[in-house]
Amino acid sequence: ALSDEEKIAFQDWVIHECCKQAHERHWPHQVHTGTHNLKESSPLPLALLANRYPNMKIVLLHCWPFIEESGFLAKHTPNIYLDACWQTILNPAYLEASLAQWLGYIPATKLMCSQDAISIEMAAGSIAITRHLLNQALTERSQVWQLPEISKCAYAADILHNNAVAVYGVGTPCSPC
């Protein structure tokens, strides 16, 4: 039976205690942003937490429809990373738009395309679409950036696997192609 003011104070205390633990242990912290265009799901307020807890890596999940805002935060905040998971399930055009916005704008080391599926069929379809769209986006960029094929493969390996290994500290990096 807490008042609204007491609820907010308690919620703030809980989130800051969790962030403090993540900061002290250098743990990543995933935050669901967007996906339903809720006014409360904008990632912009997370810059304050990122600055207050610089040892905590914040991974913005989904990011749609806040593609530009998420990209801005990842570019200008050292400990904010992006994971476009679920975008291909919502609509492949969302991932296509995100890649167009983010590739060449944010450091490639801050971008991940994992899967957030609820069935093996959904995961298989989502990764197939993700790989197709990532290949398409990197092929377009590699022509503009004049990258050799091996560099395109390295970007893909990083976005699909190696960046997550680095952020979460689990697994072994893979070599491109």
Side-chain angles (χ1 to χ4, degrees):
L2 298 175
S3 70
D4 288 344
E5 196 172 282
E6 290 170 325
K7 287 178 189 175
I8 291 171
F10 178 71
Q11 291 169 345
D12 287 351
W13 177 82
V14 169
I15 194 65
H16 283 287
E17 282 300 309
C18 290
C19 291
K20 187 168 77 174
Q21 293 295 320
H23 171 77
E24 289 171 1
R25 291 172 168 79
H26 296 263
W27 286 348
H29 185 79
Q30 294 179 329
V31 180
H32 287 255
T33 57
T35 69
H36 297 297
N37 203 12
L38 303 172
K39 63 181 180 178
E40 295 86 13
S41 66
S42 170
L44 292 177
L46 295 171
L48 298 172
L49 278 180
N51 290 328
R52 185 168 181 176
Y53 303 102
N55 293 331
M56 174 181 66
K57 295 174 182 174
I58 297 177
V59 181
L60 304 182
L61 300 175
H62 317 310
C63 304
W64 183 88
F66 301 103
I67 296 168
E68 292 177 5
E69 295 88 341
S70 299
F72 176 84
L73 287 176
K75 180 171 178 69
H76 296 287
T77 312
N79 55 329
I80 289 186
Y81 299 80
L82 307 180
D83 189 339
C85 66
W86 200 251
Q87 285 188 12
T88 55
I89 293 166
L90 290 171
N91 184 339
Y94 298 160
L95 179 61
E96 194 170 16
S98 295
L99 293 172
Q101 183 77 38
W102 296 337
L103 288 174
Y105 176 64
I106 67 169
T109 56
K110 298 184 103 185
L111 177 58
M112 294 172 273
C113 287
S114 70
Q115 301 307 307
D116 194 1
I118 58 173
S119 71
I120 192 70
E121 295 84 4
M122 186 185 286
S126 182
I127 192 59
I129 294 168
T130 297
R131 287 178 179 205
H132 170 75
L133 292 175
L134 182 59
N135 180 56
Q136 181 180 304
L138 288 173
T139 298
E140 291 171 9
R141 299 309 177 292
S142 66
Q143 292 168 354
V144 173
W145 299 336
Q146 298 180 348
L147 293 175
E149 185 69 20
I150 191 69
S151 295
K152 182 178 121 181
C153 289
Y155 273 107
D158 288 347
I159 291 168
L160 294 173
H161 179 76
N162 295 336
N163 294 344
V165 169
V167 168
Y168 295 105
V170 177
T172 305
C174 66
S175 57
C177 301

